[in-house]
C-alpha cells in the first residue's frame, strides 16, 4: 500500500465564470441546464488539476454546491430555507429550516459523483454532510428535540450513502464540522453515524474542523468511520500533543496546510509537520491533505497549497522507504 | 408590572425592502462609492429604525441593536491598547464567527466604544435604552493571550477597561449596563474571579448593573452567581427550561430577566406557553422584579422572524399584565 496518500477535504474554489453564472441563475437570467453545463466544465478542471498535481484520492470539488447544508436542504422534503441571517461582518446566508418530516426524494450527490468519477481512473470520494451538522446548522420547527432531528437526518444520509456505494464510490466522506460544538451531544452524534455507516463496504471518512478537539477526544474515536480528517496546520499541530496523550486508533487524514490563510506554506514546513505527526502515528495510518475545504482560496492558492502537499508527502515517503524497517522481535 | 426587553443584538438587514439598506451601503462604502459621512448616516438611520420597531412592538426596555458590532468582542477590542482583532473562529455553538482578540501588551482603555450608538438610540425614543458590554470572563476565554499569559491578570485588566466604558455609559444616561457572560456557565472554576471582576466593573456606579448568561447552562454555578454584586440577572429558560425552576427555587436578590423565547430557532412560541412561564415567575418574584426577553440576541434570526417573535413576546407580557390587572380590580 502506498504510504501517506494525498487527498483534499472537499470543496474547491469556484472559477469566476461559475460564480457569475450562479449569480445570473439566482436572478433567473440563466437556465438550470446552462448552469449545469458550467458546473460540469468546472468539475472537469478540478479533476484535471488534481490529476496533474498527482493527488491520490480525488474529490469533485463541489462545484454545484453553495453551502454544505443548504445544498441538501434544498433537495430534501420537509425542509425550507430561512431569510437572511448574518454569518460575520457584512456576510449573510440563508439557513435551512426543518419544517416537516425529513424525506429524501431522489439521490442528491450521485449524479455529480458519477460524472466526476467518469473523468478519472483514480478514486473520487463521495461527499455528504453528517446528521449532526445538518441539525446544528438548521433551524428546527418540526421535531420535538435535537436528538429526533439528528436521527431523522441520519436516515436520509444513510440512503444517500447507499446510493453512492451502489454507484461505485469506494470512499464516502460524511462531514461533521459542527461535532465539537456541544461535547455533551457526542453520544447522539455517534449513534447517528452508526445509522449512516453500519454495514457499508466503502471506506468511511469524517471531516471536522474549527474544533475544540480536546473537549471530545478520545471519545471522538468511537465515531463509526474508518478515517478522521482533522485540521492540524491552523493550530500549530496541537492535535499531535493530544494524540501523544491518547493513541489514535483510526486512520487520519491530517491537515498540513491552513485552508483559511492566503500564505502558501513551504515544503519544509509541511515536511516538518508530517514528521511531527509521525512521532505519534504510524505511516500506514496517515493520509495528507489541507485543513479544510479550499473554497475560500483563489484557484492559484488552492493549486499551490495542494502542490506543496504532494511534494512534501513524496519527500517523506521517500525517506520512509530508505529507512530500514525496525526488526519485529527484539 | 411585568416588562419586556431584548437581549442585545437585532437583525440589521432584511429580506423585505428597508428605507436604508445597510448591507448595500457597506458594500458601497467598501468600493468607495459613498463617503464615511453617508455610511455614518446609514448606521444612525438603522439604529433609529430598530428602536422604532421595538417601540411599536411594545418592548419596554430597548437596545440599540448592536448594529455596528461584528461580534460581541470586537467593538471593545478596537478601543483597547494592547489588543487587536485576530482571525475568525466559530462563536460558541452557533454557525457564525467572531474575531478572537489577540492580546499583545498591557490592556488600556483608549476611550468609549459603545457610547455614540447608545446616545443615538436613546435620542430616538422616550423609552429607556439599556447598554450591553461583553463580560471579562468571556473576553478572556475567547482571547488569545500573548501578553499576560495569565487568565486572571487578563480578565482583571479587561474589567478595568470595562469599568471605564461603564462610567462613560452611565454618564450618557444608561439606566442599566448589562454585562454579557455567555462563557461563564462553562467556567465554574472561575466563578470567584468573575465575581471580583464584576465588583471592579460596577465600582462606584450609581446606575444598575446586570449580568446576562446564555448558550451554556448555569445550574452548576447558580448558587454563586445569584450572590453576584449586580441588580439584574438574565437566565435562559427557553433552550434550558430546567433553569426556570432553578431560579424560582433560589431567586437572587434583585430583578430577573427570563430568556423565555428562543432567539436561535425560528419556531414561534405560543402566546399562552410564554404567558404560563412568565406567570410562574411573577407569582414567585412579584411582577416588578420580572422581565420577559429572548434568551439571546435576535440577530441569530431573519428579520421577519425576529419581528414576529418580538411582537409575540410583548403580547404574552400584555396577557399576563392584563390578567394581573383583572385580579387586582376584583
Ligand atoms: Zn472544514
Amino acid at each position: 500500500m502506498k504510504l501517506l496518500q494525498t487527498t483534499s477535504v472537499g470543496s474547491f474554489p469556484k472559477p469566476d465564470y461559475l460564480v457569475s453564472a450562479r449569480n445570473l441563475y439566482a436572478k433567473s437570467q440563466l437556465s438550470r441546464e446552462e448552469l449545469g453545463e458550467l458546473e460540469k466544465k468546472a468539475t472537469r478542471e478540478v479533476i484535471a488539476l488534481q490529476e496533474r498535481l498527482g493527488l491520490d484520492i480525488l474529490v469533485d470539488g463541489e462545484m454545484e454546491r453553495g453551502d454544505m447544508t443548504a445544498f441538501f436542504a434544498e433537495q430534501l422534503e420537509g425542509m425550507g430555507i430561512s431569510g437572511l441571517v448574518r454569518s460575520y461582518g457584512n456576510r449573510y446566508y440563508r439557513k435551512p429550516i426543518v419544517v416537516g418530516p425529513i424525506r429524501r426524494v431522489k439521490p442528491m450527490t450521485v449524479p455529480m459523483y458519477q460524472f466526476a468519477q467518469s473523468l478519472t481512473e483514480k478514486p473520487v470520494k463521495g461527499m455528504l454532510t453528517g446528521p449532526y451538522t445538518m441539525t446544528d446548522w438548521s433551524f428546527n420547527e418540526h421535531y420535538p428535540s435535537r436528538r429526533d432531528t439528528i436521527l431523522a437526518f441520519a436516515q436520509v444520509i444513510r440512503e444517500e450513502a447507499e446510493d453512492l456505494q451502489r454507484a461505485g464510490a469506494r470512499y464516502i466522506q460524511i462531514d461533521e464540522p459542527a461535532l465539537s460544538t456541544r461535547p455533551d451531544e457526542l453520544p447522539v452524534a455517534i449513534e447517528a453515524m452508526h445509522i449512516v455507516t453500519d454495514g457499508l463496504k466503502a471506506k468511511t471518512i469524517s471531516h471536522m474542523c474549527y474544533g475544540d478537539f480536546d473537549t471530545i477526544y478520545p471519545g471522538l474515536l468511537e465515531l463509526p468511520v474508518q478515517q478522521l480528517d482533522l485540521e492540524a496546520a491552523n493550530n500549530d499541530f496541537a492535535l499531535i500533543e493530544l494524540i501523544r496523550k491518547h493513541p489514535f486508533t483510526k486512520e487520519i487524514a491530517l491537515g498540513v496546510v491552513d485552508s483559511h490563510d492566503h500564505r502558501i506554506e513551504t515544503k519544509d514546513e509541511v515536511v516538518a509537520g508530517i514528521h511531527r505527526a509521525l512521532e505519534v502515528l504510524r505511516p500506514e495510518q496517515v493520509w495528507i491533505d489541507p485543513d479544510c475545504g479550499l473554497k475560500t482560496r483563489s484557484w492559484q492558492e488552492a493549486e499551490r497549497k495542494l502542490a506543496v502537499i504532494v511534494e512534501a508527502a513524496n519527500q517523506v515517503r521517500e525517506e520512509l522507504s530508505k529507512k530500514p524497517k525496525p526488526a519485529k522481535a527484539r | 408590572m411585568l416588562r419586556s426587553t431584548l437581549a442585545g443584538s437585532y437583525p440589521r438587514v432584511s429580506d423585505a425592502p428597508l428605507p436604508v439598506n445597510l448591507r448595500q451601503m457597506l458594500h458601497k462604502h467598501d468600493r468607495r462609492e459613498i463617503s464615511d459621512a453617508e455610511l455614518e448616516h446609514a448606521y444612525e438611520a438603522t439604529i433609529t429604525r430598530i428602536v422604532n420597531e421595538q417601540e411599536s412592538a411594545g418592548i419596554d426596555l430597548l437596545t440599540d441593536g448592536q448594529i455596528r458590532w461584528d461580534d460581541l468582542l470586537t467593538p471593545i477590542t478596537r478601543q483597547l491598547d494592547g489588543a487587536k482583532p485576530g482571525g475568525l473562529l466559530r462563536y460558541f455553538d452557533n454557525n457564525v464567527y467572531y474575531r478572537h482578540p489577540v492580546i499583545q501588551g498591557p490592556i488600556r482603555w483608549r476611550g468609549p466604544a459603545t457610547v455614540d450608538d447608545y446616545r443615538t438610540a436613546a435620542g430616538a425614543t422616550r423609552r429607556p435604552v439599556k447598554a450591553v458590554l461583553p463580560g471579562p470572563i468571556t473576553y478572556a476565554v475567547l482571547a488569545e493571550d500573548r501578553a499576560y499569559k495569565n487568565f486572571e491578570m487578563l480578565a482583571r485588566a479587561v474589567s478595568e477597561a470595562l469599568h471605564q466604558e461603564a462610567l462613560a455609559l452611565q454618564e450618557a444616561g444608561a439606566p442599566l449596563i448589562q454585562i454579557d457572560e455567555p462563557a461563564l456557565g462553562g467556567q465554574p472554576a472561575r466563578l470567584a474571579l468573575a465575581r471580583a471582576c464584576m465588583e471592579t466593573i460596577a465600582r462606584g456606579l450609581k446606575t444598575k448593573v446586570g449580568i446576562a448568561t446564555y448558550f451554556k447552562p448555569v445550574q452548576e454555578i447558580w448558587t454563586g452567581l445569584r450572590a453576584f454584586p449586580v441588580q439584574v440577572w438574565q437566565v435562559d429558560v427557553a433552550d434550558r427550561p430546567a433553569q426556570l425552576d432553578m431560579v424560582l427555587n433560589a431567586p437572587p436578590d434583585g430583578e430577573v430577566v427570563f430568556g423565555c423565547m428562543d432567539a436561535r430557532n425560528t419556531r414561534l412560541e405560543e402566546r399562552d406557553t410564554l404567558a404560563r412561564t412568565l406567570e410562574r415567575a411573577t407569582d414567585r418574584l412579584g411582577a416588578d422584579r420580572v422581565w420577559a426577553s429572548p434568551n439571546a440576541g435576535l440577530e441569530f434570526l431573519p428579520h421577519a422572524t425576529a419581528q414576529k417573535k418580538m411582537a409575540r413576546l410583548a403580547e404574552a407580557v400584555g396577557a399576563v399584565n392584563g390578567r394581573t390587572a383583572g385580579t387586582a380590580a376584583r
Side-chain angles (χ1 to χ4, degrees), chain A residues 84 86 94 140-141 182, chain B residues 12 15 93 265-266 299:
Chain A
L84 293 171
R86 196 159 74 122
R94 293 177 192 281
N140 168 30
E141 299 186 1
R182 297 191 187 190
Chain B
R12 66 197 73 179
D15 293 274
D93 55 341
N265 197 0
T266 46
E299 217 197 351

Side-chain angles (χ1 to χ4, degrees), chain A residues 2-8 50 53-58 120-124 171 287-288 310 313-314 317:
Chain A
K2 185 176 179 183
L3 299 176
L4 306 179
Q5 301 200 75
T6 52
T7 187
S8 36
Q50 294 172 90
L53 293 173
L55 287 146
D56 299 303
I57 315 292
L58 312 193
T120 176
E121 298 291 309
K122 292 188 171 174
V124 175
Y171 301 88
W287 290 23
I288 304 295
V310 173
N314 286 346
R317 200 179 302 116

Side-chain angles (χ1 to χ4, degrees), chain A residues 144-202:
Chain A
S145 71
R146 280 171 65 90
R147 181 169 184 278
D148 291 319
T149 321
I150 293 166
L151 297 183
F153 273 120
Q155 204 52 55
V156 296
I157 296 162
R158 165 75 194 198
E159 291 165 21
E160 186 72 14
E162 282 180 5
D163 279 350
L164 277 170
Q165 181 170 276
R166 215 167 286 135
R170 287 155 54 202
Y171 301 88
I172 298 178
Q173 181 171 317
I174 306 111
D175 288 343
E176 286 287 23
L179 198 65
S180 69
T181 51
R182 297 191 187 190
D184 54 316
E185 287 182 343
L186 184 61
V188 56
I190 289 171
E191 182 185 352
M193 192 60 90
H194 272 290
I195 296 175
V196 178
T197 61
D198 279 359
L200 289 182
K201 289 187 186 62

Side-chain angles (χ1 to χ4, degrees), chain A residues 9 68 177 207-210 231 260 291-293:
Chain A
V9 176
M68 64 182 285
H207 164 71
M208 48 210 67
C209 54
Y210 284 106
E231 58 185 6
H260 302 291
D291 273 353
C292 192

